[in-house]
Amino acid sequence: MSAARTPRLTRITSREDAMTYAGDLTPHEAWKLLEDEPDAILVDVRTEAEWRFTGVPDASGLGKQPALIEWVTYPTMQRNEGFLDQLKATGAEPGRPIVFLCRSGARSIGAAEAATAAGLGPAYNVLEGFEGATDEHGHRGWQGWKGAGLPWQQG
């Protein structure tokens, strides 16, 4: 990634010193990276149930489709032991940017850390994930990828 196109990284202050991946991006920064970097990969690490019921990001306007790889498997919510092999099967390799997305921006941190530890990426986490936190009524979707108005499709 050239210095001129390096995205501004929005780091979570409490994790800044412990950062073990390339950084955190807002949803719009993630879109911009995917747009500017032809080799960048978008990886949605939510569960199959989440993809079906809440939708998936749509990067077809950029000529890309997200890789759908569970970080944990539903319904046991146990770590997907095949995660790194499945990630490598998408073409992830050293030097190729990887943008990880989950529901609210937590599981994707673990995925970005694992990718980095395996020498893949640079790996980024999307802040607020696909739907973000719940509002005062317990509803999601007002933050994250959806709340930012980025393209998505119902699962």
Side-chain angles (χ1 to χ4, degrees):
M1 189 176 339
S2 67
R5 295 191 319 194
T6 301
R8 179 183 59 80
L9 301 182
T10 307
R11 294 187 185 259
I12 300 171
T13 306
S14 64
R15 290 187 49 89
E16 189 167 345
D17 293 333
M19 192 72 62
T20 56
Y21 53 97
D24 299 304
L25 304 173
T26 67
H28 283 290
E29 289 169 341
W31 182 266
K32 182 77 170 137
L33 184 136
L34 292 165
E35 183 177 51
D36 290 348
E37 296 292 333
D39 290 340
I41 303 168
L42 175 61
V43 181
D44 187 331
V45 300
R46 295 174 299 143
T47 65
E48 183 177 349
E50 289 170 298
W51 302 323
R52 286 185 184 179
F53 295 111
T54 62
V56 293
D58 179 5
S60 62
L62 302 175
K64 301 177 184 204
Q65 290 301 319
L68 305 178
I69 307 172
E70 291 179 311
W71 175 245
V72 296
T73 56
Y74 180 83
T76 64
M77 302 310 278
Q78 296 296 312
R79 170 89 188 275
N80 173 5
E81 295 300 325
F83 179 80
L84 286 174
D85 290 333
Q86 293 167 2
L87 181 60
K88 290 174 187 174
T90 70
E93 59 186 19
R96 188 172 188 188
I98 309 166
V99 176
F100 289 103
L101 176 78
C102 67
R103 182 187 67 205
S104 60
R107 285 173 284 176
S108 49
I109 290 172
E113 290 173 339
T116 300
L120 304 173
Y124 299 92
N125 167 58
V126 177
L127 293 169
E128 301 174 350
F130 187 65
E131 297 183 291
T134 55
D135 64 14
E136 66 275 7
H137 304 290
H139 300 147
R140 294 185 190 277
W142 61 280
Q143 288 182 318
W145 189 275
K146 278 184 168 180
L150 294 173
W152 63 282
Q153 297 177 348
Q154 192 63 51

